[in-house]
């Protein structure tokens, strides 16, 4: 589980894509999106960066206003070069605390 602070813009979510045996899924030639519901319930879809294709790693850096407390759930969707899509089976849930000031 990752933890974030509401309003931060330097926070990143790193997702390791693995198969049911725990082996990394090679993301070479793939695109990745991150989806979540914003504070009013609208689904947001944002492009992720494939940061290490052979290790199955993709990253999303949050922009202003995208992190809100008390917590959020995310879905990563990978699309291969043939257009086939794969999403994580379990949502990625994180705690987001309010800023102190």
């Amino acid at each position: 589980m990752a933890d974030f602070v509401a309003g931060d813009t330097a926070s990143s979510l790193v997702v390791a894509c693995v198969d049911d045996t725990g082996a990394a899924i090679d993301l070479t030639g793939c695109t990745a999106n991150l989806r979540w519901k914003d504070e009013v319930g609208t689904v947001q879809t944002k492009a992720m960066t494939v940061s290490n294709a052979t290790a199955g790693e993709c990253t999303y850096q949050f922009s202003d206003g995208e992190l809100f407390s008390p917590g959020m759930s995310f879905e990563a969707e990978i699309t291969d070069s043939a257009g086939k899509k794969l999403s994580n089976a379990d949502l990625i849930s994180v705690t987001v605390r309010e800023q102190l000031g």
Side-chain angles (χ1 to χ4, degrees):
M1 178 171 80
D3 291 305
F4 298 106
V5 177
D8 280 0
T9 57
S11 294
S12 296
L13 179 67
V14 178
V15 176
C17 301
V18 297
D19 64 18
D20 56 356
T21 68
I25 297 172
D26 189 341
L27 300 179
T28 301
C30 295
T31 60
N33 285 315
L34 187 66
R35 289 198 299 251
W36 69 90
K37 288 186 179 178
D38 65 17
E39 291 180 285
V40 296
T42 303
V43 175
Q44 300 295 315
T45 301
K46 304 288 181 161
M48 298 182 80
T49 300
V50 176
S51 48
N52 187 337
T54 57
E57 188 176 281
C58 48
T59 306
Y60 181 76
Q61 184 168 347
F62 293 97
S63 295
D64 190 36
E66 290 183 337
L67 289 170
F68 53 89
S69 67
M72 299 174 69
S73 295
F74 302 95
E75 176 181 74
E77 178 186 74
I78 306 302
T79 304
D80 69 14
S81 58
K84 293 182 181 177
K85 295 182 180 190
L86 178 66
S87 299
N88 50 303
D90 298 316
L91 290 175
I92 302 163
S93 296
V94 300
T95 301
V96 183
R97 73 164 178 83
E98 287 289 334
Q99 290 185 349
L100 290 178

